Amino acid sequence: MFTNDQQLRTTAPKNSTGDDPLLRLQHESEPDHPRIRFTTHTDPITITGITVMCPACAVRRDWMVICDVPGRVFLRCRCAHQWHEPELTRADFDAMIDAPDRKYPSLEAAARHTGHDGTLAGTYLPGDLDAGMRY
């Protein structure tokens, strides 16, 4: 029990209906801008008139485009080869990215989920086919 001389040091937050304190804490502790952002880009990427090609497997499309805090842009192929592309800037990345997608615990988990971890090397899914191709 507290006497009049003692004050309560902490107060418990009032929970609204459906308010989970653990989810609220997780939301409050997550930064608004993650340190690494990524998007997938199925079309070819052209820099100064030259189409980017993976140095490991020679593919020319279906990229995972990654941007870190300093604004460096990396490309990752489905064969899991990843490299820094100094010709691409944060502005280029921002032009490619759509609305925020799912959050992943790590870049490796995102690569596994999108098929850029090597398991789908050389594979193009039906949604990735050019509009003019017939099958």
Side-chain angles (χ1 to χ4, degrees):
M1 287 300 239
F2 291 99
T3 64
N4 291 342
D5 296 338
Q6 296 175 329
Q7 293 183 356
L8 186 60
R9 292 187 201 179
T10 61
T11 58
K14 296 186 181 189
N15 294 341
S16 63
T17 307
D19 186 21
D20 184 355
L22 290 176
L23 291 176
R24 188 179 67 246
L25 177 63
Q26 179 183 8
H27 177 70
E28 291 171 358
S29 64
E30 287 180 355
D32 290 338
H33 302 287
R35 298 192 56 78
I36 296 176
R37 299 183 308 158
F38 81 94
T39 189
T40 54
H41 189 77
T42 56
D43 297 328
I45 296 175
T46 303
I47 303 172
T48 63
I50 300 170
T51 302
V52 175
M53 183 174 69
C54 175
C57 70
V59 73
R60 295 175 188 242
R61 62 188 176 113
D62 204 15
W63 306 106
M64 179 181 215
V65 185
I66 305 159
C67 185
D68 63 7
V69 169
R72 296 176 301 185
V73 177
F74 297 83
L75 295 178
R76 185 176 184 133
C77 177
R78 285 207 186 265
C79 75
H81 183 70
Q82 179 176 317
W83 71 95
H84 175 237
E85 186 55 66
E87 295 293 323
L88 293 176
T89 64
R90 172 175 262 155
D92 296 322
F93 175 80
D94 289 339
M96 285 185 227
I97 197 164
D98 292 331
D101 201 7
R102 293 181 56 181
K103 290 185 180 182
Y104 294 92
S106 66
L107 187 59
E108 292 77 22
R112 267 192 314 275
H113 183 261
T114 60
H116 289 87
D117 62 343
T119 57
L120 297 177
T123 304
Y124 292 103
L125 304 174
D128 296 341
L129 295 174
D130 292 334
M133 294 183 71
R134 301 207 189 278
Y135 51 99

